[in-house]
Amino acid sequence: MSLASLQATVERDQAAIDLVVAQLAGRFGDRFSTSDALREQHGHTTTWLPNQWPDGVAFVRSTEEVAEIVRLCAEHGVAIVPFGTGSSLEGHVNAPAGGISIDLSQMNDVLEVHPEDLDCRVQAGVTRKQINEHLRDTGLFFPIDPGADASLGGMAATRASGTNAVRYGTMKDAVLGLTAVMANGEIIHTGGRAKKSSAGYDLTRLLIGSEGTLGIITELTLRLHGIPEAIAGGVCAFPDLESACSAVILTIQCGIPVARIELLDALQVKACNAYSKLDLAESPTLFVEFHGTDASVREQSELFGSIARECGGGEFSWATKAEDRSRLWAARHDAYWAALGLRPGARGVSTDVCVPISRLAECIGETYRDIEKMGLIAPIVGHVGDGNFHVLVLVDVDSQDEIAKAEEFVERLNWRALDMEGTCTGEHGVGQGKMKYLAREHGAGLDVMRTIKRALDPHGILNPGKIVRLDRDSDNVSP
Ligand SMILES: Cc1cc2nc3c(=O)[nH]c(=O)nc-3n(C[C@H](O)[C@H](O)[C@H](O)COP(=O)(O)OP(=O)(O)OC[C@H]3O[C@@H](n4cnc5c(N)ncnc54)[C@H](O)[C@@H]3O)c2cc1C
């Protein structure tokens, strides 16, 4: 994807931007920056997608400050890009129309914890590790764990998930309510602390996954879970990807309430061995974890063990000590950085898809054959219990050939997932990278999304050039 194609339909008004930048510099002092380093850091930095800087970065501390900036930008038609930690992978925080990046990382207070109701209220800049650190002595935890230490606001905005989603759900299940600033600067509160509600349109879930294009989330009410009495887990190697996928499919179809079940292909295991100093056999491997009582965990483990054996898996290697389990899961969370180490100097073209569980083996099998046929260095790793997997293609960004080949591979993978009644993204979101798949995935539903966008952000100032365009869908092309 070239810089020109990313900029195709978004416009910038330099005079308006200069005016807003001057006003914000006066209002926010050293909490507003136009330095090159900060602007670059607030564009897309995680993958090969070209970086597009905002014109200034504002570090906000309250919902009212966010509303004040939004009102100013709305008045002058200047673009706004909300920013959590910038760990998104599809160009989400790029600023193709320039404008103001609103960085919420200083809004990092845990406001309330209600252990008796298993919920809490946090500012949007709190990260997933910070909330769990805060909850450490309460016997509760927040389960959603993307590989990066992302902000909870960013995680809600991308409808993130992670290794625990197969048991505990994604951000759509974890968020009970939100405070958000809408495109006209109005502050709204959605949802609440009640476990369920039938009161009107579900604005909470409209904002979840909207990637900063409909509103800016400033606070979240989150559902928490009790730390299980017993946790057991370990790794199991398989002779090939197909047998590993078959074990996953059977585990899910048998209703074993596995807490985590993650696949690493042989190349990814090799990368993790080197990066995280493990000594796993270099073949397709499942990382598995069970939560419950001593008895239920034992029963789940035995059932999984017999399924794994039936599918040709090797001995299950238990991580009985908590520190051994932490080491394994830390390695899993570092899989992305480990993969980059396979080809020093290369950058990653990252993609994720999700298919119905019964199509998982077929989808991963065809994808693996594509990788081999195209001669790519591209480890596969996935939250396979959900039918979700990722491929990171390592490319030399100075080689147009390599980029074109990686793009072709990514396209083929996305169309394949859609052909199998899956989705073009299970968790990373649309950003700039996945816009072209939405027409095929949603059909006329994409026009409904456009109508919602137009109604809530008529001037298109909130994160323009992401998910849907206001007035054209030229990027939404199916093969
Ligand atoms: C190593 C690595 C591993 C990853 N693993 C996973 C994984 O397992 N699962 C997964 O789901 N993702 C994963 N990701 C992707 C990424 O961590 C998630 O998309 C995460 O939710 C982004 O959060 P963030 O705070 O970094 O958001 P950002 O990248 O800062 O922003 C993401 C999007 O949300 C918008 N946004 C940010 N904050 C707000 C807000 N307060 N209100 C409204 N909009 C906002 C931004 O404008 C942007 O469109 C991984 C990324 C990396 C680098």
Side-chain angles (χ1 to χ4, degrees), residues 254-269:
C254 290
I256 300 173
V258 62
R260 296 163 143 175
I261 183 159
E262 298 282 313
L263 172 72
L264 282 68
D265 77 352
L267 186 57
Q268 183 66 61
V269 173

Side-chain angles (χ1 to χ4, degrees), residues 46-48 336-337 339-349 377 392-398 402:
T46 47
T47 72
W48 72 287
Y336 179 87
W337 310 115
L340 289 177
L342 287 168
R343 191 178 176 192
R347 299 215 59 185
V349 176
I377 304 175
L392 187 71
V393 188
L394 299 172
V395 292
D396 170 0
V397 281
D398 294 328
E402 285 199 23

Side-chain angles (χ1 to χ4, degrees), residues 82 84-88 92 147 150-151 155 157-158 161 211-212 217 383 427 463:
T85 68
S87 69
S88 46
H92 295 70
S151 72
M155 287 166 61
T158 53
S161 48
E211 302 182 2
I217 298 162
H383 312 305
E427 58 178 24
N463 209 2

Side-chain angles (χ1 to χ4, degrees), residues 46 80-89 91-93 102 104 124-125 144-163 171 207 210-213 215-218 220 332-337 383 388 390 426-429 431 463 466:
T46 47
I80 297 165
V81 185
F83 187 95
T85 68
S87 69
S88 46
L89 296 164
H92 295 70
V93 294
I102 299 187
L104 292 107
I144 305 187
D145 62 339
D149 189 19
S151 72
L152 292 159
M155 287 166 61
T158 53
R159 207 184 294 125
S161 48
T163 64
M171 284 305 277
L207 287 167
S210 65
E211 302 182 2
T213 64
I216 303 177
I217 298 162
T218 57
L220 306 93
R332 167 60 191 93
H333 282 130
D334 286 339
Y336 179 87
W337 310 115
H383 312 305
N388 182 203
H390 315 299
E427 58 178 24
H428 290 166
N463 209 2
K466 318 292 164 60

